[in-house]
Amino acid sequence: MKKLTALLLAAVCFVGLALAGCADNNKQGQNGGTTTDETLPNAANHVIEMTETTETVAQNGTTEYKILIPSGLSYSSLVNVAARELQLFLGEATDAAFEIVEDTAYSASGKYISVGETAAAEAAGISVDYATVDAQGFVIETEGSNVYILGAEDKGTLNGVYGFLEHTLHFDYYFEDSYDLDKVSELPLYDYHIVERPDIPVRASGYGYASNYNIETQYRYRTVYRHDFQLPVTYNGKTSSTHTSLLYIPEAVYGEDHGEWFADGIATQLCFTAHGDYEEGGEYDQLVETAAQALYDNFDADETESYYVASFSLEDQDGTSWCTCDACKAVIDEYGAQSATLILFINDLAECLKAKFANTQAEENATEAEQAHAEHMRGLADRFILTTLVYRATEQAPYTTDANGNKVFSEDMKLHPQVAPFFAPFFARYTGRTFDENGEYVTLTDWGELSETLFFWTYDTVFSNSMLPFYSYNYLQRLYQIAYEEKVYYHYNQAQYFNRNSTAWAVLGGYLNAKLGWNCYADVAELTEKFFNGMYGSEGGEMYDIFRSYLLYNNYQVKELNYSGGIGTGGDNSAKFWPRAFVYGMTERMYAARVRLLEKGEMTAANNIELELVSPLYFLILHYSSTFDTQTLNGYKNDYRAFVDKWEINYFSESQTMSSFIDGFLQ
Amino acid sequence: MMKKIGRTKYGITLPLMFVMVCLCAALVLGFALSAQKTVRAECGSEELTAFLESEHFVGETIALPKAQIKEGNETYETDVALIAPDGRMYAGNSVTLTDFGSYTLLYTAKNGETDSQYKEPFTVKQYLYTASGEQTEIGFGAVSSLTEYPAEGRSGMVVDIAENETVYANTVIDLSDYMAEDDLFRVSFLPHALGTADAQFVYITFTDVHDSSNTLTVELRYSPDGNTTETCRVFAMFYASGQGKQGLEYMPAGNGDFTYDGKSYKRHQNDGYGGKAAASMQGYNPLTITLNAEDVGTTDIICRFDYETKRFYYGENIQQGVNLANDLDDPNLQSTLWQGFTTGECYVSVSAGSYSQSHCRMLFTHLAGMSLAENGTIADTEAPVITVDDSDLAAADYAVIGKPFAVPSATALDSYAGECPVAVRVYTAYGTSTQALVAVENGSFTPIQVREYTIVYTAEDYSGNIAEKTYTFEAKERTPETDMKVSYTKPSSLAVGQEMDFGTFAVDNANGNWYLTLRVSFGDESETVAEISAENATDKVMYRPMVSGTYTFTLEYRDYTNEYTDEFDVEVSADGDPILLVEPQLPRYIIKGAQYTLSELCGYTFENGTAQETPATLYVTETKEYSGASPVTGNLVTVSEDWTECWFTYVLGNTVKQYRVPVQDVGYGASGVNIYKYFTGFSDAAVEQAQVSYTVAEQSGLYSLDFINALMMYGFGLTFTVPADAEFDSITITLTDKDDPSVVLTTVLSAQSDGSIVMESNGARNVFTAKFYGSTISFAYSDESLGTSIDGGANYYSVGDGWEGFPSMRAWLSISFNGVTGTPKITISRVNNQTIGYIMPNGTAQDVTAPQFNTPVSEGYQKIGSEYALAPFYAADVLDPDITVSMSVTLNGKYITSVDGTVLQNVSDVEREYTIRLSDYGAYAISYVVSDSVGNRSTYLYAINVVDTDSPTVAFGSHAGEANVNESINIAEITVTDNVSAAENCTVRIYVCSPQNVFTELEGESFVPETAGTYSVWYFVTDEAGNCTFAHYDIVVS
């Protein structure tokens, strides 16, 4: 639902409010979690200074401003997307038509909102420091009558447009067709000095509805699709960007000549010591060289030249077995964990790859494009990040203990500066406790001792049952703060990535993940209230109240009913945890809210409730069918099927399609 | 590069969009123009000339060209307006053209400086293909010149559809003559990234030209790459508006789950699959499963459509050619049948969904027969079709001088312009040099002289095509000779209770449609006896007076020319004979020795001329002669004599009705019955232990078996074996309701040409893989599912719309044999729960099987204090017509009394509905005991659960609304109220919710806030039944 919050406000009111906000320590910018509170640890990431000028950007549905972009961009380039997004939302807010022009059409007498690396930005001296904003941050500056939005990379520019809309028009995006945006008859020009860098530099959405299923939501959440960030590799028709080592080193290709490269006692893993053949030019060197070349070739084939992160990770996805050869055993014994063999190898691999990048040269008669590509490859030498999963078999960081029981981390185990362990705490519990109350928190800090860069993979759903709320509401903020404190560079909170849309408060989860990844000290309660009002319109208060009832009940579930709250505990759907009175009450309240919305013509909000109804309907049908007459029960069943179909909840669990589940369930 | 085509929409449904609309100005201008005369004058400008010399297309936004009017030496500036093809006028600076056809620029001098006007027509064209947005590209020609793929030199239309955009074909296509061998479309995919599908779905949608809500959609679906056992696939679903998505996947190995016309399919609904074509959205060679650029765009998906049968065919290159993929009007596949497009005409559009790239690219080599060689323009050369309302036309055959003649209404439908306005004029001497226009007022004209009047309808579409239709009517003077006449039989006096016979009403000289109404009044009451028009003119009209006295009948009739009324009286005397109006519910057969319970048959007697309901006297005799016989007392009848038939005679005064019922001796009452004799109509019965093989006798040209006892239909079953060498080609199983013989379920089981079974129940047809000849068929019918089955009820198939089951839940069974070529023989092994065979050594069977019954249930929780109607209970025994049923209803061991005062303890009249009031919580037990005459007994029990589902309520006492940080806050006392549980038996949990939404259970009665913000105190209250409620209030802490 488009919440046009200021529709009835006269322009003068808006200006007055804006002025008041600006005078109050730049609170104008405080929307959706941005902050200029200098006492917070992340204050430097969110510098927001805006002063209203006497000029206007748009007035009474007209504007002199055009959106300026660099010339020659492809339609699908992120800067082009950014310009279109700006055009769309500025137009909606002001009723003015903002034309997009390339900077070849720039006129000194014109007025522009410049997006990306335009010639005008360069001429105005507007630049952005990668070290300050990283790949996804941005600056917004006013120079003369022009505004410049610029990231160090295109994704940063796109994020900058959303930042501009957020700070200027209180834009906040919740879900398809549900967002906040002020509607103004006059939009003043502000003197902007905004520099923002996300607290977690790269954030991948783990929710299907905000990832590859819906690219707009992914953009507006300022997240990335995880496979768009890590270079994918394909072998024999299988593509992955996570479990990759055997795609780079296929046993079918190398097994016959290099049996030492493959693990003993486990079929689908490399032996990272190559069975101890460390002779110069021996099997270990060849393995490192072959892996590095495969990685290099894969980067070389990347026509987008957008990737700088690649994974070289264990293959046996959910196992804990490891190579049992003597050489591996010796390393493990010496350093204290299975991950030691991986660390030694990955460090060598990173150094070898770095050299290959650095030594890249174009052919003598290379075209300009080929020369530019060679330069890009050389640039990767200092930029690439090689990540490797530390998960299940390699989850524990290697250390020994001294006589006093203190941990001793060997220098040999320190990770190469361009290697990032990708920590995935599979067994951590997220419901009913905060992350730092889990033993895995210590493991995270252990890896922090060994690496300058951390990647973090957490979980935000019950993978065996998409209908269950996995309630992480009270742990999310601390999780992101810990990630920020531990200098996590990349975070992926894996939720129902497999579902196009998810029920059981998952949309709120995805939204909060997006907001907290950007600013981990944002006010979660305020965000939550905004979310409910944005999603459910005039029934926002009622839905928020239902949600808070659930939060209370979840507290009761955990403390008094021993609710598990694990990511694989499908048994948490038992009737014991979901008594009829609670589920029925929640269902009927949602239905009643939906009816009221339909009567008012708030169709989008009513539709959004349908998605949320799927979860309680599941419990009612699962446990309490016999308590309803056929007509009522069939109504519930029909709605369940209709809502599931309409919202394309494709999977009942990570491994079971909804189509294979639903007929039996509703029989 | 491909040409970008601008945005458009179907012109007939969308209004013109224009940048600066000034509706008021247009209205004012239009009004002003109506008062001005149009004068040909000189008007022009270079801008206008250039505009007229240019081509204009739909989607284009034009600036209305300025021009000046010149009269002699004077030059006047003008206002310009645009008249669209639909006649609407627009004034403004610019207008976006959304319809193709004839437009007119209208120039009027400013400020009334001159009354001259100038009209300049121009034509707006429409491209054959357009896109809804700017980012989509449409190209024509060789794929190699449009894309990076060679595609074996193929050419066609390459569409590259941007996300959220749609490609439209703007020409009307007519699917009405499409047949199964006609391609609907052929398409292949040209992915932007080889190996990755551009989008997961492609929708090819056909939209009714005359009803945009009526659509057909083919939804192509991405499938992951093939593997070594399966080629690459593109699945597809096929559906019309209002239907669910469905696609049949042909399974050549016969391992599908659905058989259709003898072929095996997997029937996909609500899943991710569908009909299957060997193709790849990712660019794979679908058969070799290899990824080579050379193979891309070389394999078409073929989709065909047969409009008459509403069948889609899909997927050549699967093993058996293009296969049936859906039938949109087959009730075996659809719950909602698609009836087709209004005229067969439709538009087609293409879009995609779930994109992985910015665009989805594909090659069409065929699309509903439209040109794919270039993007030409479309031309509308067909005039609209005028349709005059038939019922209006029939309103009068000729006009009458001086009487307004209503001009029949007409509509005009054009394929592109939709419904066009119809102009109507009436002329005399039409088409001659003396033709004259006749005034039409309020939809009628009034002829003033005897001559022919011609009604002329004309309609024009957006492209100037004009249709005309004429009707000529003669105008006459009205004379008595030509007036409408009605003749009928006026009943003479008769006795009360006898039927008045008016016969049929004969109408002569009616001018067009005529209407007749017969009313009767008696005392203060009146009613309509009959309403008759040409449609039911042959119906006889009857009326039965039930009270003596004078009845006044009024006959009103009318046609175009006039209205008439007749009135007459009929005297009804008080000396009427008794009458029997209803038929008795008698058994079809009587089993010798068995006791039958018959319902009373009532008629009417007329003492003092007033009807009184009176039971008839019943006699049961061996012959029709009943004199001397004793009447039956009570309602129980047993025939114990060796009769082959008996007569039921009902006598009421002088009125007598008689019915013959055959009597069958099966050895009832003995220790063993001849169970094979429960079937009649056979010439020979070979009894075996588990079955009887009947050779069926011929009788009056029919071969049939009847079962002599009424059977339970709640779960009816008949198991029989058709011999492999059977000398008949089908079996008809007829089930006739025990009490209402008009309710009949007829099922015909026969063999298809391949021998598989076809079952048609009341016309609903299903085909099965099982064979007819040599098979044992377990036919079943369920009054619960309202379906029939051939697998003993494992799968029921709907009998069809309109079937509501058997009212008495019991029916008479007949089996007949069709296409008999010799001696029909059948082996029957079971009827319902009864084996048909012998059990005892002497070839008889002891009845050891209890009666069957329906199983009413109480669904869900019931509300305290509500009334509950107990469902009627029906029972029947296969062999024994004499059963007893006893019902009791208890709560906690105490019998319940129904609202009509019946104590529900061992009640035998269970086929009626009892209503009870649920005054207390608990489980009400409804129990039935059903017995046959030899003591076989069953019991059935179900419960009505009255459960407390009401949550407690919470009322707050006084409490703080504001507080300070670090100061203790006492929480509110609450009052808990529950409909059942005492307050002290409710569980109360108290939580404090922090401003961060963290809930903490509170042990005491106060808490100390540590930060500022809004706290909430939540009470989570649960009653003894587990009903819970949440209540909270807020405290602002500063």
Side-chain angles (χ1 to χ4, degrees), chain B residues 715-773:
Chain B
F716 170 73
L718 172 68
T719 305
F720 60 93
T721 302
V722 179
D725 56 354
E727 295 177 307
F728 54 84
D729 62 17
S730 64
I731 295 174
T732 300
I733 299 169
T734 304
L735 297 167
T736 306
D737 188 75
K738 170 177 156 295
D739 294 338
D740 183 353
S742 69
V743 179
V744 179
L745 173 62
T746 303
T747 299
V748 179
L749 296 165
S750 59
Q752 282 206 131
S753 57
D754 66 354
S756 55
I757 296 174
V758 180
M759 177 174 72
E760 288 187 82
S761 294
N762 281 5
R765 186 172 188 268
N766 288 282
V767 181
F768 305 91
T769 53
K771 302 300 182 189
F772 181 70
Y773 294 107

Side-chain angles (χ1 to χ4, degrees), chain B residues 977-993:
Chain B
T977 307
D978 187 70
N979 59 329
V980 176
S981 300
E984 60 270 25
N985 292 332
C986 292
T987 304
V988 179
R989 294 178 181 84
I990 305 170
Y991 292 79
V992 174
C993 179

Side-chain angles (χ1 to χ4, degrees), chain A residues 392-466:
Chain A
R392 304 297 307 270
T394 54
E395 184 169 328
Q396 293 304 314
Y399 61 81
T400 55
T401 50
D402 63 15
N404 298 321
N406 298 318
K407 292 178 180 175
V408 178
F409 295 95
S410 168
E411 285 300 313
D412 295 346
M413 292 291 102
K414 293 287 173 68
L415 286 146
H416 186 284
Q418 288 174 268
V419 170
F422 204 154
F423 178 53
F426 184 75
F427 290 111
R429 206 174 101 182
Y430 302 96
T431 298
R433 64 174 76 156
T434 58
F435 182 71
D436 46 3
E437 293 176 297
N438 283 278
E440 283 78 2
Y441 172 64
V442 176
T443 308
L444 177 69
T445 60
D446 288 347
W447 282 106
E449 292 289 333
L450 294 172
S451 179
E452 296 174 17
T453 307
L454 286 179
F455 281 22
F456 197 17
W457 181 314
T458 53
Y459 302 96
D460 211 1
T461 190
V462 181
F463 288 92
S464 57
N465 190 326
S466 301

